[in-house]
């Protein structure tokens, strides 16, 4: 166990969580390897001067998240599943988008790793009981859900999605909606229907790594336009579209991944105007549109569009769970028919059982209730993230201040020691997403994407404090100063 355990009785963080976090730190750093024995509840309670219930709660939390395992009569041990410093493909000299994406997905499951790399909701917040009730209901109609669904999507689910879309100012009939296997599949269908290998696609820089990976796989060429806090810089967009034929502009206007930026209403109107003048589609990825913390998100590009220039996509991956693989898109009519045909060719359609379950959950109002519950929790996590960055990063580091979504984008000074900051953090058992994979045309400036949705506040604090320590150490090495002593800062 940690040589010294720090307990701060005045902190907001409950004591059992403080204790659990310090065990995680020990395990992730390798100081407590798989199989190491934890002290007995009685012993640790007496040593720390806390109740046995506090220790039991700490151990219960560690056990439920897979860090430790208990065997009756033998004791409590670090889980045999814990792998410290596994060989991540993305930790090699060239971290490709595919390697980074593959690792991010695996890190979410890896024991002994704490990840702020994935822009995912916290599985602990999933409304399991309500959702499972809806799943159980399908048993009564097992014959009906046993077959294939229409390729466009279950009509009942499309009715519910049309209803939900009104919250985003989108007024469509169920017929206009195409259910997809997440936004990812919608984007793949668009890449196939709107472009040919060698074509140019415009995107924000930085943008969602999965999109860049996807279109490169289709042989398309992404070209980036810079972003400022109000959205894509329009002069740069115009320069590109005047110079060459682009097939579409992929944009995440609302709480963008990875920056968290939200495009201003004026910029949205100007972008629509530009798309009209030069005749290109805007592909609006609204995945984070309903994750607004401070004020309602601005109107979608789709709802402002008068000329069928916008194709709209979203899914339940950032609000319910990515594993559902259920999303939806709206496209102008002739294109929609082509997309349904491509969808049919791809996989015939999404699982009917899950579509009906989700439709029942939406019909009962489960989704809106869930959002009302999780938004304040995620807002607090955003706040803790920004406060901790403020107190733990050197002043040369900058970051975005998202008003929604799950991502924050950090920019470090271009100092050689910071170029491998991603790998340095991995060595300490913390995963962030390395910034270069989000850039259509990578440069040397070190960036990290930090996602704050999937960890509780005390874990976020600890991770950001550790990151701050690594940054200071690396900057000291670069400037020839002695590296500051590593201080395993107690929870604050
Ligand atoms: C902007 C953006 N679009 C699409 C996706 C993938 O979404 P889905 O799970 O719906 O395929 C992500 C996932 O992180 C994302 O951030």
């Amino acid at each position: 166990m940690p040589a010294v355990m720090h307990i701060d009785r005045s902190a907001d963080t409950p004591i059992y969580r403080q204790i659990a976090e310090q065990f995680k730190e020990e395990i992730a750093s390798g100081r407590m390897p798989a199989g190491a024995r934890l002290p007995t509840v009685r012993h640790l309670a007496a040593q720390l001067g806390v109740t046995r219930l506090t220790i039991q709660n700490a151990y219960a939390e560690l056990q439920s998240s897979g860090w430790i395992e208990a065997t009756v009569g033998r004791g409590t041990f670090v889980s045999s599943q814990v792998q410290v410093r596994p060989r991540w493909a993305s930790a090699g000299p060239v971290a490709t988008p595919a390697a980074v994406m593959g690792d991010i997905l695996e890190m979410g499951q890896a024991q002994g790793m704490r990840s702020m790399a994935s822009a995912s909701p916290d599985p602990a917040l999933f409304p399991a009981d309500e959702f499972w009730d809806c799943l159980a209901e399908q048993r009564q109609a097992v014959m009906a859900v046993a077959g294939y669904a229409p390729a466009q999507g279950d009509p009942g689910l499309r009715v519910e999605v049309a209803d939900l879309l009104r919250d985003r100012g989108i007024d469509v009939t169920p017929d206009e909606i195409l259910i997809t296997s997440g936004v990812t599949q919608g984007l793949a269908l668009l890449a196939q229907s709107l472009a040919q290998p060698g074509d140019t696609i415009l995107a924000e820089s930085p943008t969602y790594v999965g999109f860049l990976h996807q279109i490169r796989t289709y042989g398309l060429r992404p070209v980036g336009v810079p972003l400022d806090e109000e959205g894509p810089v329009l002069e740069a967009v115009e320069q590109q579209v005047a110079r060459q034929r682009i097939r579409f502009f992929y944009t995440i206007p609302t709480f963008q991944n990875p920056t968290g930026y939200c495009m201003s209403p004026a910029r949205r109107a100007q972008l629509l105007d530009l798309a009209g003048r030069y005749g290109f589609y805007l592909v609006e990825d609204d995945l984070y549109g309903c994750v607004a913390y401070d004020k309602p998100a601005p109107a979608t590009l789709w709802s402002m569009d008068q000329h069928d220039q916008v194709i709209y996509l979203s899914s339940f991956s950032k609000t319910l769970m990515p594993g559902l693989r259920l999303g939806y898109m709206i496209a102008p009519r002739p294109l929609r028919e082509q997309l349904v045909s491509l969808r049919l060719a791809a996989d015939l359609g999404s699982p009917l059982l899950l579509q009906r379950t989700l439709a029942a959950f939406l019909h009962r109002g489960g989704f809106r209730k869930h959002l009302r519950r999780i938004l304040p929790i995620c807002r607090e996590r955003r706040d803790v993230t920004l406060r901790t960055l403020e107190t733990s990063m050197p002043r040369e580091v900058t970051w975005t201040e998202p008003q929604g979504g799950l991502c924050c984008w950090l920019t470090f000074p271009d100092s050689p020691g910071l170029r491998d900051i991603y790998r340095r953090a991995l060595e300490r058992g913390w995963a962030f997403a390395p910034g270069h994979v989000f850039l259509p045309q990578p440069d040397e400036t070190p960036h990290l994407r930090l996602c704050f949705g999937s960890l509780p506040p005390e874990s976020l604090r600890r991770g950001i404090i550790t990151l701050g320590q690594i940054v200071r150490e690396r900057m000291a090495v670069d400037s020839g100063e002695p590296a500051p002593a590593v201080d395993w800062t107690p929870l604050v």
Side-chain angles (χ1 to χ4, degrees), residues 123-241:
L125 300 178
F126 181 71
D129 291 341
E130 293 92 328
F131 199 82
W132 253 247
D133 284 350
C134 298
L135 181 63
E137 245 174 44
Q138 306 309 315
R139 237 185 130 155
Q140 296 152 17
V142 75
M143 300 297 276
V145 293
Y148 292 106
Q152 191 177 344
D154 174 53
L157 178 57
R158 286 189 277 121
V159 167
E160 297 303 329
V161 169
D163 177 55
L164 196 64
L165 280 167
R166 290 201 187 100
D167 296 357
R168 295 292 292 126
I170 294 180
D171 190 9
V172 281
T173 64
D175 265 2
E176 294 172 80
I177 293 169
L178 166 59
I179 300 295
T180 57
S181 174
V183 167
T184 302
Q185 185 178 46
L187 293 172
L189 300 178
L190 287 175
Q192 291 167 61
S193 59
L194 295 181
Q196 306 274 342
D199 283 347
T200 301
I201 310 294
L202 212 54
E204 288 148 354
S205 179
T207 189
Y208 169 50
V209 53
F211 176 71
L212 291 176
H213 175 56
Q214 191 176 47
I215 60 165
R216 287 186 185 123
T217 326
Y218 285 108
L220 308 177
R221 198 173 65 90
V223 169
V225 289
L227 275 176
D228 64 28
E229 281 185 33
E230 289 203 41
V233 174
L234 294 178
E235 292 71 26
V237 177
E238 184 151 13
Q239 232 175 39
Q240 291 294 345
V241 295

Side-chain angles (χ1 to χ4, degrees), residues 6-183:
H6 300 271
I7 291 185
D8 182 352
R9 290 175 196 278
S10 63
D12 290 342
T13 308
I15 292 174
Y16 81 91
R17 283 247 164 92
Q18 298 186 29
I19 294 170
E21 283 304 319
Q22 290 175 74
F23 273 114
K24 285 184 196 170
E25 190 74 64
E26 294 301 295
I27 297 169
S29 66
R31 291 190 289 271
M32 284 185 77
R37 184 190 285 274
L38 274 74
T40 63
V41 168
R42 190 164 50 86
H43 180 82
L44 189 56
Q47 189 185 345
L48 298 178
V50 299
T51 65
R52 288 189 199 174
L53 185 64
T54 303
I55 306 297
Q56 275 160 357
N57 286 339
Y59 283 10
E61 167 150 326
L62 289 166
Q63 197 171 351
S64 69
S65 47
W67 290 79
I68 63 172
E69 48 206 16
T71 315
V72 180
R74 282 192 58 224
T76 307
F77 302 88
V78 175
S79 164
S80 53
Q81 302 300 312
V82 161
Q83 277 189 323
V84 175
R85 298 190 196 111
R87 283 173 192 271
W88 297 110
S90 59
V94 189
T96 61
V100 170
M101 287 176 69
D103 283 355
I104 288 177
L105 299 184
E106 264 186 58
M107 281 165 183
Q109 308 292 328
Q111 296 304 338
M113 190 79 218
R114 285 151 305 166
S115 177
M116 288 189 224
S118 173
S120 296
D122 186 343
L125 300 178
F126 181 71
D129 291 341
E130 293 92 328
F131 199 82
W132 253 247
D133 284 350
C134 298
L135 181 63
E137 245 174 44
Q138 306 309 315
R139 237 185 130 155
Q140 296 152 17
V142 75
M143 300 297 276
V145 293
Y148 292 106
Q152 191 177 344
D154 174 53
L157 178 57
R158 286 189 277 121
V159 167
E160 297 303 329
V161 169
D163 177 55
L164 196 64
L165 280 167
R166 290 201 187 100
D167 296 357
R168 295 292 292 126
I170 294 180
D171 190 9
V172 281
T173 64
D175 265 2
E176 294 172 80
I177 293 169
L178 166 59
I179 300 295
T180 57
S181 174
V183 167

Side-chain angles (χ1 to χ4, degrees), residues 257-389:
N257 176 4
T259 59
Y261 285 155
C262 188
M263 200 188 299
S264 66
R267 191 74 61 92
R268 287 173 197 240
Q270 290 158 347
L271 184 60
L272 278 162
D273 179 57
L274 203 60
R277 275 194 285 129
Y278 285 90
F280 59 90
Y281 275 124
L282 291 171
V283 171
E284 175 175 28
D285 183 339
D286 193 37
L287 197 52
Y288 300 91
C290 54
V291 190
Y293 304 132
D294 302 326
K295 54 181 184 211
T300 55
L301 287 168
W302 194 93
S303 61
M304 297 168 71
D305 174 26
Q306 314 259 321
H307 307 289
D308 275 356
Q309 298 170 163
V310 180
I311 300 163
Y312 176 92
L313 305 109
S314 191
S315 83
F316 296 93
S317 290
K318 305 299 161 182
T319 41
L320 280 175
M321 62 150 99
L324 264 185
R325 308 308 306 131
L326 285 175
Y328 40 95
M329 69 191 292
I330 314 168
R333 179 116 196 238
L335 182 57
R336 185 181 347 129
E337 282 160 12
Q338 197 190 347
L339 294 170
V340 173
S341 161
L342 282 170
R343 173 75 206 265
L344 203 53
D347 63 357
L348 299 184
S350 295
L352 190 51
L353 176 63
L354 281 182
Q355 293 193 67
R356 290 269 171 96
T357 303
L358 179 60
F361 181 74
L362 295 173
H363 188 71
R364 286 183 185 186
F367 182 75
R368 290 187 176 104
K369 183 171 150 219
H370 171 65
L371 263 193
R372 282 195 297 275
R373 184 170 75 90
I374 63 163
L375 283 180
I377 298 174
C378 294
R379 182 190 305 125
E380 192 208 346
R381 293 177 182 192
R382 187 274 315 259
D383 292 345
V384 164
T385 298
L386 296 180
R387 276 203 305 271
T388 317
L389 283 167

